[in-house]
């Protein structure tokens, strides 16, 4: 049977573009459909614009510190409109880079929505049909508003990059990394930020001590973080949104941003009709090789809701190509993924939290918290945290958790050691780089006594 293509990819985000490019470079005839903008969530409304906003939001502290270091500083304001123009020019440039990658590697692109209509067939939004030996689902996910009255008055992370002006006062709902990052970004940009989270502590799933540390620092930086709190009522008022919290508090905000959840883009895709299984959240269920229940159809990235990070979507895309086009079945390795949360201060983490490790086996905990030299000199009170979780049985470092400026950069490197199975003694015999914050990772001598 002959097909139009060897591979048809649905979705031009991190995972889809990488898989399409690598398969085409190997000689496959590849097509890709993207219904919105090339680059997907990461490039257009995720990692990239967010990190640029993080950089923008860090300047007020840097400028204040400069004065403490003896510089004459002339304080000025932040021009959101100038920043936004430059930000979107950069995103346009990156989108073109992504289009170029596909074109230069011979991938045929369709600026259209695609849905699956058979094990080897997709239908584009203009009604044309294309056949392919393999179909790769890489449709990513989207933010969802909670199912509560008034929620439509709120915005999501998608909207934040397009605001005509920065709000003076915002309420952020949620305790995950996106909620916390935007709370810190907007706080840094001078917005009055209140954050409600219904749980007992932000950043669920991460190390307890690290979560507490980030939360303390966010509060001392001026974010009004209310835990165990949610919206009870939300209505359009004069000049803003009136919000009553579950704790009885009533306030008006210019904007309310929900970062309360994301959903895989599987609605109206024809998936179940061809025999693909979906999970409870609508995610595509796949095996270790990213294969769905329909042997010719695979799925990677956020649409599978495994580990929703750009480098993971990329890895899954490359493993798919290796498995299907290079005859080398490659399962995706989801173990010991280092990751960063770009709060202020940042959190970098790899491996098990103290809580999870303790449930697994007897452990030692090495942890230190201190005021780093650079900001302490400038009179700031912020502290950093360096923490290692060590197996008592084989001395391996099971987890490394850093809360500090630059923690994202640090954890990338510590992640190599942890992934290699380094022991506490391997860390110890590594000479410290002095004076740095991360030298504490190789100089912690005594485990803490904890129950
Ligand atoms: C605010 C925010 C910040 C983030 N920060 C980070 C970070 O710092 N680090 C990190 O690693 N990850 C971060 N992420 C997560 C990261 O963006 C995602 O994990 C990653 O983009 C997933 O890639 P993907 O290829 O699976 O999907 P996506 O990048 O979402 O791409 C899917 C593409 O498919 C298209 N599409 C959907 N349905 C169809 C259809 N039927 N037909 C045609 N096209 C379709 C969409 O338009 C989209 O372009 C962040 C996410 C958000 C929202």
């Amino acid at each position: 049977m002959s097909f139009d293509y060897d591979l048809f990819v649905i979705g031009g985000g991190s995972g889809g573009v990488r898989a399409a490019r690598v398969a085409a470079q190997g000689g496959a005839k590849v097509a890709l459909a993207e219904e919105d903008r090339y680059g997907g969530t990461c490039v257009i409304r995720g990692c990239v614009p967010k990190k640029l906003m993080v950089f923008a939001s860090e300047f007020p502290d840097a400028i204040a510190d400069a004065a403490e270091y003896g510089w004459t500083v002339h304080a000025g304001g932040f021009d959101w409109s100038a920043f936004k123009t430059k930000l979107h020019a950069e995103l346009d440039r990156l989108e073109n880079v992504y289009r170029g990658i596909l074109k230069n590697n011979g991938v045929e692109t369709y600026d259209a929505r695609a849905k699956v209509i058979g094990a080897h067939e997709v239908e584009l939004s203009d009604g044309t049909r294309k056949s392919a030996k393999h179909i790769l689902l890489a449709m990513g996910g989207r933010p969802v508003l909670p199912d509560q009255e008034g929620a439509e008055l709120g915005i999501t992370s998608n909207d934040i990059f397009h605001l005509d002006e920065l709000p003076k006062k915002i309420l952020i709902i949620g305790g995950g990394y996106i909620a916390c990052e935007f709370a810190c970004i907007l706080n840094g940009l001078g917005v009055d930020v209140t954050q409600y989270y219904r749980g007992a502590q932000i950043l669920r799933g991460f190390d307890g001590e690290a979560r507490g540390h980030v939360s303390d620092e966010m509060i001392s930086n001026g974010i009004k973080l209310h835990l165990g709190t949610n919206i009870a009522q939300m209505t359009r008022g004069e000049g803003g949104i009136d919000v009553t919290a579950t704790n009885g508090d009533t306030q008006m905000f210019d904007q309310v941003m929900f970062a309360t959840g994301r959903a895989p883009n599987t609605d109206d895709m024809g998936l179940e009709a061809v025999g693909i299984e979906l999970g409870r959240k609508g995610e595509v269920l796949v095996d270790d090789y990213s294969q769905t229940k329909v042997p010719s159809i695979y799925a990677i990235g956020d649409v599978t809701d495994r580990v929703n990070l750009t480098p993971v979507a990329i890895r899954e895309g490359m493993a798919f190509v290796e498995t299907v086009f290079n005859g080398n079945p490659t399962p995706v390795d989801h173990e010991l993924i280092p990751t960063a949360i770009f709060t202020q201060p940042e959190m970098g983490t790899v491996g098990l939290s103290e809580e999870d490790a303790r449930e697994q086996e007897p452990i030692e905990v090495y942890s230190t918290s201190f005021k780093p030299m650079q900001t302490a000199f400038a009179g700031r009170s912020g502290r950093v945290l360096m923490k290692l979780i060590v197996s008592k049985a084989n001395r391996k470092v099971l987890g490394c958790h850093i809360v500090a400026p630059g923690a994202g950069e640090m954890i990338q490197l510590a992640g190599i050691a942890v992934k290699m199975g380094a022991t506490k003694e391997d860390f110890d015999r590594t000479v410290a780089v002095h004076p740095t914050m991360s030298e504490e990772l190789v100089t912690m001598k005594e485990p803490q006594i904890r129950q």
Side-chain angles (χ1 to χ4, degrees):
M1 191 172 168
S2 84
F3 299 105
D4 297 330
Y5 300 103
D6 299 318
L7 172 64
F8 197 102
V9 181
I10 306 183
S14 308
V17 169
R18 178 61 66 93
R21 163 165 75 85
V22 178
Q25 279 172 340
K29 189 171 183 220
V30 183
L32 181 148
E34 168 55 57
E35 66 173 343
D36 188 2
R37 295 188 62 185
Y38 288 73
T41 303
C42 173
V43 175
I44 305 296
R45 49 192 168 270
C47 331
V48 173
K50 171 198 81 186
K51 191 79 191 279
L52 290 168
M53 283 184 76
V54 169
F55 292 139
S57 70
E58 286 174 341
F59 284 103
D61 277 348
I63 292 166
D65 289 357
E68 294 292 334
Y69 274 82
W71 288 89
T72 305
V73 171
H74 305 284
F78 173 64
D79 185 343
W80 166 249
S81 156
F83 171 75
K84 199 176 88 172
T85 305
K86 201 155 179 228
L87 175 71
H88 286 283
E90 175 63 2
L91 304 187
D92 292 346
R93 186 186 72 79
L94 289 172
E95 182 179 8
N96 278 329
V97 169
Y98 274 78
R99 278 185 185 273
I101 287 172
L102 294 172
K103 188 162 178 259
N104 297 338
N105 287 288
V107 177
E108 279 183 49
T109 52
Y110 296 95
D111 290 359
R113 183 167 203 275
K115 61 188 282 188
V116 177
I117 52 168
H120 296 281
E121 203 168 21
V122 302
E123 185 177 88
L124 301 176
S125 33
D126 66 2
T128 52
R129 294 179 171 199
K130 302 287 171 194
S131 64
K133 187 161 185 217
H134 293 101
I135 296 171
L136 181 65
L137 307 174
M139 294 92 70
R142 62 181 190 284
V144 281
L145 290 172
D147 186 15
Q148 74 185 64
E149 213 176 310
E152 71 285 352
L153 299 172
I155 58 171
T156 68
S157 61
N158 280 358
D159 307 302
I160 208 92
F161 310 110
H162 298 277
L163 296 174
D164 289 335
E165 52 189 47
L166 275 186
K168 286 196 174 46
K169 192 173 168 190
I170 193 167
L171 172 63
I172 295 181
I173 311 292
Y177 82 95
I178 294 176
C180 295
E181 287 178 342
F182 279 104
C184 292
I185 289 169
L186 293 169
N187 183 53
L189 294 177
V191 178
D192 180 348
V193 178
T194 302
Q195 183 178 356
Y196 292 169
Y197 176 51
R198 65 179 179 188
Q201 185 54 282
I202 54 169
L203 300 173
R204 189 160 59 91
F206 293 99
D207 182 83
E209 190 179 7
R211 295 163 72 191
H213 194 106
V214 173
S215 138
D216 288 350
E217 292 293 326
M218 284 171 63
I219 292 167
S220 84
N221 288 340
I223 295 167
K224 295 161 195 131
L225 175 62
H226 298 269
L227 299 169
T229 308
N230 206 342
I231 293 183
Q233 204 188 356
M234 170 171 177
T235 50
R236 162 86 49 214
E238 251 185 53
I241 303 166
D242 289 320
V243 174
T244 306
T246 45
N247 63 11
D249 218 33
T250 306
Q251 282 190 68
M252 180 180 284
F253 297 93
D254 302 328
Q255 297 278 6
V256 176
M257 174 181 156
F258 288 99
T260 44
R262 294 180 61 81
N265 285 327
T266 50
D267 293 354
D268 190 28
M269 283 294 300
L271 302 180
E272 282 171 303
V274 299
I276 292 173
E277 278 182 11
L278 301 183
R280 209 170 43 84
K281 281 178 70 183
E283 73 277 17
V284 179
L285 298 181
V286 289
D287 67 11
D288 290 348
Y289 299 89
S290 299
Q291 190 174 31
T292 71
K293 278 280 181 281
V294 179
S296 56
I297 304 183
Y298 287 69
I300 55 161
D302 284 12
V303 80
T304 62
D305 196 30
R306 286 176 283 180
V307 180
N308 296 336
L309 293 170
T310 286
V312 177
I314 289 174
R315 292 260 162 155
E316 290 169 357
M318 310 237 298
F320 155 76
V321 174
E322 201 54 29
T323 300
V324 172
F325 292 96
N326 297 343
N328 176 26
T330 305
V332 184
D333 179 4
H334 290 113
E335 290 297 311
L336 294 173
I337 294 171
T339 184
I341 295 144
F342 295 100
T343 39
Q344 289 165 30
E346 285 176 20
M347 173 163 145
T349 177
V350 61
L352 295 177
S353 66
E354 180 181 338
E355 296 73 23
D356 287 349
R358 207 177 281 292
E359 283 201 357
Q360 180 180 295
E361 61 182 278
I363 54 165
E364 283 179 358
V365 176
Y366 295 81
S367 168
T368 178
S369 172
F370 56 96
K371 285 189 186 179
M373 184 200 264
Q374 183 181 359
T375 47
F377 183 82
R380 280 208 260 150
S381 61
R383 301 178 74 82
V384 304
L385 172 76
M386 301 280 159
K387 179 168 181 180
L388 295 177
I389 316 293
V390 177
S391 160
K392 268 193 178 167
N394 61 19
R395 308 296 299 151
K396 275 192 183 168
V397 175
L398 303 172
C400 174
H401 310 286
I402 303 174
V403 181
E409 303 289 345
M410 296 180 206
I411 206 67
Q412 180 68 83
L413 304 179
I416 299 171
V418 175
K419 184 81 183 166
M420 288 176 74
T423 60
K424 174 70 170 68
E425 286 62 38
D426 290 325
F427 273 66
D428 291 348
R429 66 195 172 83
T430 305
V431 174
V433 177
H434 184 73
T436 64
M437 291 177 275
S438 51
E439 67 180 303
E440 297 292 331
L441 287 178
V442 298
T443 54
M444 288 187 282
K445 290 284 173 266
E446 294 300 324
Q448 304 216 330
I449 312 294
R450 295 182 177 193
Q451 292 316 315

